Amino acid sequence: MAEMMLKASRMLSALLFVSSLLPWVHGEPQVPCYFIFGDSLFDNGNNNLLLNLGKVNYLPYGIDFPRGPTGRFSNGRNIGDAIAELLGFQGYIPSLNQAIVANNVLKGVNYASGGAGIRNETGRQEGDLVPMDEQLKNHRTIVSRITRMMGSKDSALKYLNKCIYTVDMGNNDYINNYFVPQFYSTSRQYNVEQFAAALIQQYSEQLKSLYDAGARKVAVMGLARGGCLPLSLATFGTNGSPCVEMINNAEQIFNNKLLSLINNLNANLSDARFTFINLFQIDGESAQGFNITDVGCCKVTSSGLCIPLSSPCSNRTDQQYAYWDSVHPTEARALIIGRRAYVAEEPTDAVPFDIRRLAQL
């Protein structure tokens, strides 16, 4: 009973905090710009122009978003939107195409692409996407544009040093690569320990490349609980467990190595302030506050995305559904996850510091 009351209290405080995100935070942003790298948890429309089955610029996606369907894998806002709001940005961080068309790059760019991973082949069974290496290439192009606007490389780097960067990569390398052997051979090439090591080695080079482009304040998301996704439950079964433990256990091997990598980067790169966001923990605990966790709010296709123009559940903004489709959180839960990344509720939510503290450094 005491544990249930604690969870209820925590959920109530979370929802009250989330309600404070509306309207937008007023005043100056805490940092001059915010750059977002990632997958479908953060994608805000970068897949829309690609030949890809994994794009969601159709209803019922965006049914609770002011602009309607934008390419966000949500009924409303996503985790990146929540973090941007809490950092004090007016309006949304633009997708790459929006930023280029509007010549609006100084407040940041969202490069995230649904299905993308650390490995370049990850998620390709769905079609075109933008993996981490390509997102970094796009960022270097934007940095060159900022350099021209600032007048010098030194001025641009000083500006970029002050920005916040979030990176959410690796989820698809498991659920859209390693654990889909019908499309990829990685599970035959590597055991779970070897695969995590290979991913971390490649990720290390990618994060160093981001550092070389001027990033100093970088929040790196650990993997969420891929074994608890409704899609995973339907695909693999659980043998009586709440989640597919072989997926969660493999992802935790990666997360442990990622935390070690973050510590190594901070120790060896001058002025680096990388931090680890424990999405595995935050994801699991945030879901506990919702009543339905094994299916999503909308009717889905075999790939786990909402059927176009289908009618979703009506109680999307309360504590009923943890998942919007079979893979992604509802807006209500995405805002809670973003808040805990910004302000840690527990010491292990963010190591060595949360995003609010990162912005202050």
Side-chain angles (χ1 to χ4, degrees):
M1 178 64 73
E3 184 178 355
M4 289 179 63
M5 292 179 65
L6 177 62
K7 287 180 180 178
S9 175
R10 178 181 290 171
M11 191 66 189
L12 177 60
S13 65
L15 290 172
L16 289 172
F17 191 100
V18 166
S19 69
S20 71
L21 294 178
L22 293 171
W24 291 87
V25 180
H26 294 293
E28 289 296 313
Q30 296 154 37
V31 292
C33 46
Y34 173 30
F35 292 96
I36 300 169
F37 300 79
D39 52 30
S40 56
L41 291 176
F42 285 77
D43 188 353
N44 67 344
N46 287 301
N47 276 14
N48 288 354
L49 301 178
L50 303 179
L51 294 174
N52 190 321
L53 297 175
K55 56 184 174 184
V56 291
N57 52 345
Y58 60 83
L59 288 170
Y61 289 96
I63 191 171
D64 299 310
F65 193 74
R67 302 176 189 173
T70 58
R72 288 167 170 82
F73 290 71
S74 172
N75 57 304
R77 291 165 291 173
N78 62 25
I79 299 170
D81 295 324
I83 294 171
E85 291 177 26
L86 289 164
L87 286 169
F89 286 95
Q90 303 293 313
Y92 300 99
I93 302 300
S95 65
L96 177 61
N97 185 61
Q98 290 171 335
I100 291 174
V101 169
N103 196 28
N104 178 26
V105 298
L106 287 179
K107 80 169 188 178
V109 177
N110 184 331
Y111 305 101
S113 172
I118 295 167
R119 295 173 69 94
N120 290 324
E121 83 274 10
T122 289
R124 295 287 184 181
Q125 76 273 17
E126 298 291 331
D128 294 337
L129 44 74
V130 191
M132 184 60 177
D133 281 339
E134 195 171 337
Q135 291 184 33
L136 288 167
K137 181 180 178 181
N138 291 336
H139 182 59
R140 287 190 288 270
T141 300
I142 294 299
V143 168
S144 295
R145 181 174 292 209
I146 291 173
T147 300
R148 291 193 297 272
M149 295 171 74
M150 293 284 181
S152 71
K153 183 177 181 180
D154 184 61
S155 296
L157 287 176
K158 286 181 180 178
Y159 183 79
L160 292 165
N161 287 172
K162 300 174 184 176
C163 303
I164 289 288
Y165 302 75
T166 56
V167 187
D168 171 55
M169 279 291 177
N171 295 293
N172 285 302
D173 294 291
Y174 285 91
I175 63 173
N176 269 319
N177 187 325
Y178 193 80
F179 287 107
V180 283
Q182 64 271 36
F183 296 112
Y184 301 98
S185 61
T186 45
S187 61
R188 296 185 288 276
Q189 292 176 286
Y190 306 97
N191 62 35
V192 288
E193 183 74 29
Q194 292 167 339
F195 187 62
L199 286 177
I200 289 295
Q201 182 177 6
Q202 187 171 355
Y203 208 14
S204 174
E205 295 306 313
Q206 291 167 341
L207 293 174
K208 288 176 185 175
S209 176
L210 182 58
Y211 171 89
D212 290 339
R216 293 296 180 270
K217 302 180 179 185
V218 185
V220 183
M221 306 288 164
L223 303 188
R225 298 184 183 229
C228 300
L229 300 175
L231 181 63
S232 297
L233 303 182
T235 302
F236 297 97
T238 64
N239 292 322
S241 299
C243 301
V244 182
E245 294 306 325
M246 70 172 179
I247 298 178
N248 284 350
N249 292 340
E251 290 176 333
Q252 276 294 67
I253 293 172
F254 174 90
N255 283 336
N256 291 334
K257 292 182 183 296
L258 179 58
L259 180 55
S260 296
L261 172 61
I262 295 302
N263 292 332
N264 181 270
L265 292 172
N266 285 333
N268 291 287
L269 297 178
S270 177
D271 296 324
R273 298 181 179 92
F274 287 82
T275 194
F276 172 78
I277 305 299
N278 191 351
L279 206 56
F280 193 91
Q281 174 172 288
I282 295 171
D283 179 40
E285 293 185 3
S286 67
Q288 291 176 12
F290 290 77
N291 295 330
I292 303 171
T293 60
D294 58 345
V295 295
C297 169
C298 69
K299 297 180 177 67
V300 297
T301 65
S302 59
S303 64
L305 299 179
C306 297
I307 295 172
L309 304 180
S310 59
S311 298
C313 65
S314 59
N315 45 353
R316 299 181 295 272
T317 58
D318 57 19
Q319 295 172 234
Q320 286 297 309
Y321 285 87
Y323 291 93
W324 164 241
D325 51 24
S326 287
V327 181
H328 308 97
T330 54
E331 177 189 65
R333 193 158 75 90
L335 296 182
I336 293 170
I337 293 170
R339 176 190 56 79
R340 275 185 69 169
Y342 179 77
V343 182
E345 284 187 5
E346 300 175 17
T348 49
D349 279 352
V351 181
F353 26 67
D354 56 27
I355 293 175
R356 179 174 63 172
R357 176 60 180 148
L358 186 63
Q360 296 169 347
L361 296 174

